[in-house]
Amino acid sequence: MQDESRILHRDLRVAPPVAVRAAGLWIEDEAGNRYADACGGAAVSCLGHAHPAVVEAVRDQVGRLDYVHTAFFSNQAAEDLASVMLTDAPPGLAHIYFVSGGSEAVEAALKLARQHFVERGEPERTRFIARRQSYHGNTLGALSVGGNMARRLVYDPILMPAAHVEPCFAYRFRRDDETEEEYGLRAAASLEAEILRHPPGTVAAFLAETVVGATAGSVPAVPGYFRRIREICDRHGVLLILDEVMCGMGRCGTLHACTAEGIAPDILVVAKGLGAGVQPIGALLATAAVVAPLRSGSGSFQHGHTYLSHPVACAAALAVQRVLREGLIDRVAPMGALLAEALTERFGNHPHVGDIRGRGLFWSIELVADRATKRPFDPALGLAARVRESAMARGLLVYPMGGTIDGRMGDHVTLAPPFTVTEEELAMIVARLGEAVEAAVGEAIGVVGAP
Ligand SMILES: Cc1ncc(COP(=O)(O)O)c(C=O)c1O
């Protein structure tokens, strides 16, 4: 069956197993193997699989109103979802735009920022600044602002220009003689230095993941960093776009990750947990001030797709968002604390785990060849891929990635279990991860002799 697949799978040489059903934490393949989905795919399935309220909402919507084009109609599912999302949005966010995923939402955010400045008479604001070791999606605009060097490499010559400043990644880049706060201010200062390198009034927006996701492995900023970023953006008239595609929608314990930082962006981008994977959906939220020049100017956002505000996607997301707000988000912080405790117990003294970091139910371990010096494994060993395979062989899905430090060096493994996860399931996940890491690291060390 798999040998016959004509799909361009991620690996063009080996087709993945075919999944046939999923419920709660578990996914089953056609051979009857069961996998504990401890990463929700890519931090997507925040309700677990096949949540009955969401399944019912999709059935109901598709039978009543399957699709309408936004050139002709709005639909009630989208209108209701907008109301829910804007009721408890970060301060100032007043408008919402529904697309089909994270990359589309980032593209829309970049274009909205650009059009905002054109319509308010500052067309020379054309530059975007983002951070190294970030990811904002795989379409050309989103890839251009992303700082994931491995994903950019092939496309570099055809990407639009964007500048990349320092990430806020304390384990790797804080100096020993700095407090966390001092480090955060230094990292933020790299944004101001970059803005000042250009003629005044030419930078449109700065983009950052509030908690860095896949590229560096669930890295929260140090206290004070984002407050300083907000000040710098305000001082220079630069829009702040926060990408919470992965870390938002409750994943880090608060509905929006920026709440924990005490700031609000001008444009917020969400996806993944918005529809919990049941339907593809993403959104951007923008302040009235961002949209105002368009309203009083041309009267339209010069953008659009066929599936904007898709009724079935919005109905699924509406059901997801109701479940989250009916109390499920309140489980994230306490269950996350249990996960952190279990990871610390299992890996806290592990010779090849240099850092255990995260927030809410979004945690990663960073694997190192030498814990004292933080020396990473040789990237040629492909440790991240080994961990994914050895975890899968043990019935566990985790999200490992290489290139943690600079796009080439470093390996981490990220966990993003559903918010419905139980204490027993967390213990099982950490135990299986422990076995998978031992096997993969053992194999890697075996390849090179000593690490
Ligand atoms: C922070 C962030 N932004 C944007 C994206 C792109 O989202 P999508 O894959 O839905 O296009 C991702 C996907 O992993 C992400 O993690």
Side-chain angles (χ1 to χ4, degrees):
M1 168 72 182
Q2 295 165 34
D3 293 341
E4 294 160 16
S5 177
R6 297 290 188 92
I7 295 173
L8 287 178
H9 291 293
R10 284 174 181 251
D11 184 333
L12 296 180
R13 297 194 189 98
V14 187
V18 176
V20 290
R21 63 181 66 83
L25 181 69
W26 297 92
I27 298 176
E28 193 177 322
D29 71 16
E30 65 183 354
N33 300 308
R34 296 180 79 236
Y35 307 88
D37 185 5
C39 56
V44 174
S45 306
C46 55
L47 303 191
H49 296 276
H51 190 289
V54 188
V55 172
E56 188 47 42
V58 170
R59 277 207 183 104
D60 176 60
Q61 182 65 46
V62 81
R64 267 186 311 113
L65 179 72
D66 52 359
Y67 171 73
V68 283
H69 194 281
T70 48
F72 305 105
F73 298 105
S74 184
N75 69 84
Q76 202 54 48
E79 295 292 343
D80 291 347
L81 180 60
S83 303
V84 168
M85 293 291 291
L86 292 171
T87 300
D88 47 19
L93 296 174
H95 301 281
I96 192 160
Y97 188 74
F98 296 115
V99 293
S100 301
S103 302
E104 271 190 18
V106 168
E107 295 288 339
L110 299 175
K111 291 177 83 172
L112 181 59
R114 168 69 188 151
Q115 196 183 337
H116 164 83
F117 284 117
V118 170
E119 300 237 12
R120 63 181 262 178
E122 297 181 53
E124 55 292 338
R125 285 199 187 261
T126 55
R127 294 174 207 276
F128 290 95
I129 304 177
R131 303 188 296 179
R132 290 191 286 278
Q133 292 308 96
S134 61
Y135 181 60
H136 296 294
N138 253 338
T139 49
L140 289 174
L143 197 61
S144 300
V145 288
N148 182 317
M149 293 309 152
R151 291 188 185 181
R152 292 171 56 97
L153 198 62
V154 173
Y155 304 102
D156 219 42
I158 59 169
L159 297 180
M160 70 179 193
H164 295 97
V165 298
E166 287 178 30
C168 186
F169 185 0
Y171 172 66
R172 283 289 167 191
F173 301 117
R174 183 178 67 82
R175 292 193 307 246
D176 289 344
D177 64 352
E178 281 174 323
T179 63
E180 289 212 319
E181 285 75 7
E182 286 166 346
Y183 165 60
L185 297 182
R186 178 166 65 85
S190 72
L191 170 61
E192 188 149 44
E194 182 61 31
I195 293 172
L196 292 172
R197 248 177 25 83
H198 302 286
T202 58
V203 176
F206 172 65
L207 248 95
E209 293 165 88
T210 315
V211 173
V212 180
T215 303
S218 57
V219 187
V222 297
Y225 169 82
F226 270 111
R227 282 185 194 275
R228 179 53 62 90
I229 289 288
R230 182 70 267 186
E231 284 167 20
I232 293 169
C233 288
D234 289 345
R235 189 151 56 234
H236 297 281
V238 169
L239 294 179
L240 174 60
I241 303 174
L242 289 181
D243 179 346
E244 299 200 357
V245 165
M246 200 173 237
C247 63
M249 298 287 94
R251 175 57 59 196
C252 292
T254 47
L255 182 61
H256 303 289
C258 59
T259 305
E261 306 299 338
I263 60 149
D266 301 295
I267 300 177
L268 179 70
V269 179
V270 296
K272 298 190 189 271
L274 175 58
V278 179
Q279 287 283 291
I281 184 166
L284 78 71
L285 291 80
T287 62
V290 166
V291 177
L294 282 69
R295 283 177 94 106
S296 59
S298 68
S300 72
F301 179 22
Q302 286 287 316
H303 189 55
H305 293 289
T306 302
Y307 302 119
L308 291 182
S309 293
H310 193 284
V312 183
C314 288
L318 180 62
V320 170
Q321 295 305 312
R322 285 185 173 142
V323 172
L324 290 180
R325 285 162 177 76
E326 279 158 12
L328 191 59
I329 286 182
D330 301 338
R331 289 192 86 241
V332 176
M335 296 314 285
L338 290 180
L339 175 58
E341 206 177 288
L343 288 171
T344 306
E345 200 167 298
R346 180 65 182 81
F347 298 109
N349 293 313
H350 196 287
H352 296 297
V353 175
D355 194 25
I356 303 171
R357 57 174 173 258
R359 189 176 280 170
L361 277 170
F362 195 33
W363 281 82
S364 301
I365 56 173
E366 185 169 332
L367 302 172
V368 287
D370 184 312
R371 193 181 152 105
T373 63
K374 305 184 183 177
R375 180 166 58 87
F377 281 95
D378 181 347
L381 294 171
L383 186 60
R386 287 179 197 273
V387 173
R388 191 184 59 240
E389 279 158 31
S390 88
M392 233 174 139
R394 289 165 175 79
L396 178 69
L397 304 177
V398 292
Y399 194 158
M401 186 91 117
T404 315
I405 306 166
D406 56 6
R408 204 178 85 80
M409 305 295 289
D411 300 274
H412 63 267
V413 186
T414 298
L415 299 176
F419 306 168
T420 49
V421 73
T422 64
E423 196 171 342
E424 295 70 33
E425 287 169 340
L426 284 178
M428 175 272 295
I429 288 168
V430 173
R432 289 189 188 185
L433 176 63
E435 287 174 23
V437 167
E438 299 302 351
V441 168
E443 233 177 68
I445 293 173
V447 172
V448 286

